[in-house]
Amino acid sequence: MSLLSVRDLRVEFATSGGVVKAVDGASFEVAAGETVALLGESGSGKSVTAQAVMGIVPRPAGRVVGGSVTYDGRDLLEPGTAKGLRGREIAMVFQDPLSSLNPVFRVGSQIGEMFRRHRGASRREARAAALDLMKRVGIPAASKRLDDYPHQFSGGMRQRVMIAMALALSPRLLIADEPTTALDVTVQAQIMDLLARLQSEEGMSLVLITHDLGVVADVADRVVLMYAGRVVETGPIREVYEHSAHPYTTGLMNSVPTLDGPRERLTPIQGAPPDLLALPTGCSFRPRCRYADALCAEQEPALRDLTGRATHSSACHHAEGVLTNAR
Ligand code: ADP
Ligand code: MG
């Protein structure tokens, strides 16, 4: 049973250039206790997908126009439902902690506020709970740092503060949207390790949104690859890495030498990311794809199961050929 189920989700934005289909029929599942990486180049619809789950698609330009989002049997697209679960059941961490923290309040009181507002804690109780959380997320000298302001923390420590706030109410699902993109490489690894540790301690589900396979390869169970608002491949991360069945995935994988090794060779996928206002007919990836043929120009490929067990799926007409070549 899935904790989160996204089915055929469609989100549009009204822009001066026309209607942008930011998410165009995305489907994926997240099981309880599972870590899923939502991976794709910038602009592929990852953040908007998260916004739809959280019920925070920016209005009035943005609108969920189709599909369903179900969390623990509840319809998150129903007005008010996501709002009621936000923070308590589903929490989110963003790329830029400074924009989510209030600069004028001390960090300890911002974390403590979660307990005061949602749990009716006293000032003293909230402070103690905040201190506990700051220790759990590995902030050194936490008791001294309770009274510091956000700007006094390094980027990595600020992200730990955000993670502490996200965990305050023990959510069952944590969505982290590019949580390490703004950080340097060593700190990135530390934050990923922290998220992985907290995920296993809490037994929560974790959705890691990233454009960088390298940072999630070691911690994710499954990967969901997005391109132009659609899911193009999904499966267990090792299987997808070792036997990718979509040319886009193969391209992304080629930018990471090994799952565990250092990242040095960066071969970006040829061609430009898609213009969502001028998508080609058929397969959106077609202009960048060496497998593209007449069928790809005619028919948009559906996500289809390759295993008979619904574990590894690809939305490529030539998935079998890609698989063979990748071996
Ligand atoms: P990413 O995969 O990088 O997180 P996003 O989900 O943020 O991509 O955005 C996908 C696409 O949706 C963008 O390329 C953009 O065209 C469109 N989009 C996202 N947010 C907005 C917005 N607030 N207004 C208009 N268009 C948007
Ligand atoms: Mg994003």
Side-chain angles (χ1 to χ4, degrees):
M1 245 299 275
S2 307
L3 184 63
L4 178 72
S5 170
V6 174
R7 295 267 166 84
D8 203 24
L9 180 67
R10 291 167 200 276
V11 184
E12 292 181 354
F13 286 93
T15 72
S16 53
V19 172
V20 169
K21 295 179 175 179
V23 182
D24 189 23
S27 301
F28 64 93
E29 314 271 323
V30 181
E34 187 182 35
T35 299
V36 173
L38 200 55
L39 184 68
E41 291 176 306
S42 174
S44 53
K46 308 178 300 291
S47 293
V48 173
T49 299
Q51 287 169 355
V53 170
M54 298 293 285
I56 54 171
V57 172
R59 295 196 62 92
R63 213 158 57 91
V64 177
V65 294
S68 65
V69 180
T70 313
Y71 169 86
D72 196 21
R74 280 167 281 187
D75 176 5
L76 286 190
L77 297 183
E78 187 87 357
T81 306
K83 185 161 192 253
L85 297 176
R86 225 181 287 150
R88 293 185 290 120
E89 290 271 339
I90 310 175
M92 194 154 169
V93 174
F94 298 91
Q95 176 177 334
D96 176 17
L98 255 197
S99 65
S100 319
L101 287 166
N102 191 322
V104 306
F105 290 107
R106 299 173 198 276
V107 152
S109 79
Q110 289 191 58
I111 301 174
E113 180 64 19
M114 297 293 290
F115 297 97
R116 286 172 61 79
R117 185 164 6 120
H118 295 275
R119 295 279 151 86
S122 69
R123 203 171 283 276
R124 177 194 291 265
E125 288 163 345
R127 190 175 166 83
L131 177 59
D132 257 12
L133 271 174
M134 285 173 73
K135 288 180 181 162
R136 277 197 63 202
V137 299
I139 295 174
S143 56
K144 287 202 190 71
R145 307 231 57 188
L146 269 175
D147 295 318
D148 283 346
Y149 292 94
H151 74 267
Q152 294 173 281
F153 287 75
S154 67
M157 286 300 148
R158 241 169 355 232
Q159 196 54 287
R160 287 176 194 264
V161 170
M162 287 312 300
I163 293 168
M165 286 178 72
L167 290 182
L169 305 175
S170 303
R172 285 202 286 157
L173 171 64
L174 178 65
I175 302 175
D177 190 353
E178 310 261 7
T180 66
T181 299
L183 307 172
D184 69 53
V185 174
T186 8
V187 182
Q188 283 189 357
Q190 291 163 4
I191 295 292
M192 274 302 149
D193 288 348
L194 170 68
L195 285 169
R197 172 169 66 77
L198 294 167
Q199 182 281 325
S200 78
E201 285 173 8
E202 300 275 321
M204 65 187 174
S205 302
L206 179 59
V207 174
L208 288 172
I209 297 178
T210 181
H211 64 277
D212 183 354
L213 169 78
V215 303
V216 293
D218 288 328
V219 296
D221 301 309
R222 280 194 311 119
V223 61
V224 173
L225 284 115
M226 288 191 73
Y227 189 80
R230 299 175 64 92
V231 174
V232 293
E233 183 166 5
T234 179
I237 195 153
R238 286 252 160 211
E239 184 171 333
V240 170
Y241 185 81
E242 283 160 15
H243 309 292
S244 48
H246 195 289
Y248 173 56
T249 315
T250 316
L252 284 181
M253 301 298 170
N254 285 341
S255 62
V256 196
T258 66
L259 270 186
D260 316 298
R263 272 176 293 153
E264 45 203 22
R265 180 164 49 89
L266 276 165
T267 324
I269 305 167
Q270 59 160 352
D275 174 357
L276 294 179
L277 285 170
L279 286 178
T281 59
C283 176
S284 307
F285 189 64
R286 173 164 70 87
R288 304 171 74 180
C289 183
R290 65 190 177 95
Y291 294 85
D293 61 12
L295 176 63
C296 306
E298 276 161 30
Q299 251 180 52
E300 186 169 300
L303 192 64
R304 60 192 170 89
D305 177 36
L306 302 169
T307 58
R309 291 169 282 122
T311 48
H312 186 183
S313 306
S314 164
C316 174
H317 290 307
H318 303 291
E320 286 75 10
V322 179
L323 261 174
T324 311
N325 281 353
R327 271 172 215 268

